[in-house]
Amino acid sequence: MKRLPIPDDVTGEEIDKDVRQELLSLPKTLADDVARNLVMVAKLLDEEPEEAYGYSRVALRLASRVPAVREAAGFAAYATGKYGEALAEFRAARRMSGSVELWPVMADCERGLGRPEKALAMAGEPEVQKLDRAGQVEMRLVAAGARRDMGQADAAVVTLQSSELASNAVQPWTARLRYAYADALLEVGREDEAREWFAKALEADQGGTTNASDRLAELDGVEFTDALEDADEDDIDADGIGEAGAAGKIEDETADVAPEAADVAESTAPEQRKASNGSDAAGSDEAATEGGAPAEAPREGRPEQG
């Protein structure tokens, strides 16, 4: 079995105690190995999902009968857009553990597979009532997303209206819930209300989980420019002087040249001037051929929940 490199400072002790409890069914050396791979999955999942997926496959080959391993494999597949594979892993983890906490993400996998009707049906199943408050909010987000997938934008707005949305308290899900509501409002043409809710989302988004600030700027007509691109367009030189400014500076310096220097220039032999002009022309031709191709402009894999 091909193993992936794991830094020495990753010991496996970093994992949640509940996961560590599940690994006690394995021989200690194997349990430590699996734990270290699971730590790598957690570390890389948000920023490097493809790499996280690789570590999840190693853990899965080592301990496929451990629910936490199947769950980690599911989230890694989900993050890379492998929704069928993710759904299969989540189902396996649920069968092993009996937990319903994966129900919302399972429904979102149905959305990713192009089956919003199935996701919406799952939102009405008894399992939803067994979810904690956070899980129920997630399920609401998925259901609203399914409505939008089906072209039912007004129904999506209604789906998101809840006591959690109305609350002024900031919870881990608050920013995403407000953002989804603002986005749904915008889709049905309620722009003023959408702007208000994007602002509320930004206010609650302490961890930067949404791009509410960008959406607000877009609604306000604010455009951001790339300072480096502007510098290229102005042809800024090393001294910070643009092409036009440089030309002006040269003219000013020329005007200050002493008269005797000008007299010396007038006394230059015609053949010397001719040779100089030929050199200048060659230099101009060479400069005309210089230039580079413009740099190509530098695309939340998983379906947005809501």
Side-chain angles (χ1 to χ4, degrees), residues 3-4 22 27 61 65 70 90 140 223:
R3 302 296 181 91
L4 298 175
E22 290 185 19
R61 289 194 297 269
R65 296 183 181 276
R70 303 303 289 263
F90 289 141
R140 191 177 293 277
E223 294 185 5

Side-chain angles (χ1 to χ4, degrees), residues 18 33 46 68 71 76 88 139 151 172 179 186 200 218 246 264-265:
D18 292 335
D33 199 359
D46 291 335
E71 183 176 328
M139 194 70 244
Y179 182 95
L186 192 60
K200 289 182 178 181
E218 182 181 326
V264 171

Side-chain angles (χ1 to χ4, degrees), residues 105-236:
V105 72
M106 289 169 62
D108 207 39
C109 285
E110 296 286 2
R111 286 185 61 207
L113 291 168
R115 302 193 292 247
E117 299 87 352
K118 177 63 176 175
L120 201 57
M122 291 179 68
E125 294 291 336
E127 283 81 356
V128 177
Q129 303 306 316
K130 300 176 185 177
L131 294 168
D132 60 14
R133 193 177 179 196
Q136 291 186 4
V137 171
E138 291 297 332
M139 194 70 244
R140 191 177 293 277
L141 287 166
V142 174
R147 290 288 189 189
R148 295 180 67 177
D149 294 343
M150 298 164 65
Q152 301 173 5
D154 287 303
V157 171
V158 175
T159 299
L160 291 167
Q161 293 170 347
S162 60
S163 59
E164 291 84 6
L165 181 68
S167 174
N168 290 324
V170 175
Q171 304 290 347
W173 62 77
T174 302
R176 292 174 51 243
L177 182 58
R178 292 176 179 179
Y179 182 95
Y181 187 58
D183 204 29
L185 287 169
L186 192 60
E187 186 172 352
V188 298
R190 295 160 62 176
E191 185 172 311
D192 290 342
E193 292 175 84
R195 193 200 179 286
E196 176 187 349
W197 281 97
F198 277 129
K200 289 182 178 181
L202 179 59
E203 182 182 287
D205 194 3
Q206 300 173 354
T209 58
T210 73
N211 66 336
S213 60
D214 293 340
R215 302 298 298 275
L216 275 172
E218 182 181 326
L219 287 173
D220 291 341
V222 177
E223 294 185 5
F224 297 99
T225 58
D226 191 322
L228 292 177
E229 290 182 2
D230 289 345
D232 289 340
E233 291 174 2
D234 292 338
D235 195 18
I236 301 300

Side-chain angles (χ1 to χ4, degrees), residues 271-287:
E271 55 271 22
Q272 289 178 313
R273 290 200 296 272
K274 180 178 179 181
S276 175
N277 290 339
S279 174
D280 288 346
S284 298
D285 290 342
E286 182 179 350

